[in-house]
Amino acid sequence: MQNTAVTGVILAGGQGRRMGGEDKGWVDFQGRPMIQHIMERLSDQVDEIIIVANRNQSRYADLGVRVVEDLLTGFQGPLVGIATGLTHASHDQVVFVPCDGPFISRELVNRFSEEFSNTGKPVIVADDGERLQPMVVMLQKQLLPELRAALQAGERKPDRWYASVGMAQVSFAADSLYNFNTPEQITPKS
């Protein structure tokens, strides 16, 4: 069990280009918006939830959590969303998940915290046994100055930046890391 306070950040700031421009958090999955599935799985694992969103902020705020907009305008990628989450997090450990992955593990935070205790690495990122899942990650808030400097220098690749500051990986079942990118993935044509 983790005993350190943790902020959970849901990344919902993308353009949803492959989803036809839809705000993925509000796309229906099994009769409910994806954001509700994420919050249900994350809420009992963290001490606060923040949603990073660049549109539909009032709708997200109706869920009863803090909603913040990316620090940099123009949909500059998830690393900017991560910097935004770190900026607004109340706690030193900050776990990030995407708004389009409704199956996140109910052991996510415990497993990340355990890996941090074992390795001391400031970035703990999920993998599915074959590849990194860079949007399911825990970072220490103290990384914010380094991340801001990297963004200012033009860095936009999360996995490359993670490796530069020191990361460890935790493997999860691939289905718990699955995320939806296209409407066909949600409602396959028969």
Side-chain angles (χ1 to χ4, degrees):
M1 282 297 285
Q2 58 98 9
N3 56 8
T4 302
V6 177
T7 296
V9 177
I10 302 171
L11 298 169
Q15 289 178 293
R17 285 186 298 245
R18 292 180 287 174
M19 194 63 79
E22 291 290 319
D23 185 338
K24 288 188 189 181
W26 293 106
V27 170
D28 185 74
F29 174 65
Q30 296 181 343
R32 296 187 303 156
M34 272 199 262
I35 191 70
Q36 289 181 352
H37 293 275
I38 303 286
M39 287 186 61
E40 179 182 288
R41 287 183 171 257
L42 193 60
S43 62
D44 61 352
Q45 297 188 56
V46 297
D47 300 281
E48 78 170 330
I49 291 178
I50 298 170
I51 297 175
V52 177
N54 294 316
R55 52 190 170 154
N56 297 313
Q57 286 96 344
S58 61
R59 192 172 178 196
Y60 282 117
D62 287 344
L63 297 171
V65 298
R66 191 159 38 131
V67 179
V68 296
E69 193 169 348
D70 272 342
L71 297 170
L72 302 175
T73 59
F75 297 98
Q76 295 193 40
L79 204 53
V80 172
I82 288 170
T84 303
L86 287 177
T87 299
H88 293 280
S90 301
H91 306 296
D92 292 334
Q93 290 187 347
V94 187
V95 171
F96 295 84
V97 297
C99 71
D100 60 358
F103 310 112
I104 62 164
S105 170
R106 295 186 191 276
E107 291 298 313
L108 183 75
V109 174
N110 282 340
R111 297 212 32 227
F112 277 171
S113 295
E114 186 176 285
E115 187 68 16
F116 174 68
S117 293
N118 291 339
T119 67
K121 298 285 186 181
V123 176
I124 310 295
V125 63
D127 73 55
D128 63 9
E130 292 184 18
R131 59 190 179 105
L132 217 56
Q133 299 294 322
M135 296 304 93
V136 182
V137 62
M138 183 175 82
L139 289 93
Q140 302 304 303
K141 187 171 172 124
Q142 69 194 23
L143 289 173
L144 183 57
E146 287 177 70
L147 179 51
R148 283 181 179 253
L151 289 170
Q152 192 169 11
E155 181 63 81
R156 294 296 183 271
K157 293 254 183 218
D159 45 354
R160 185 168 56 206
W161 184 74
Y162 298 163
S164 76
V165 295
M167 70 175 196
Q169 294 173 224
V170 177
S171 292
F172 291 90
D175 59 351
S176 75
L177 298 171
Y178 185 82
N179 64 304
F180 293 104
N181 291 305
T182 66
E184 295 75 24
Q185 289 174 322
I186 296 173
T187 50
K189 303 222 183 314
S190 41

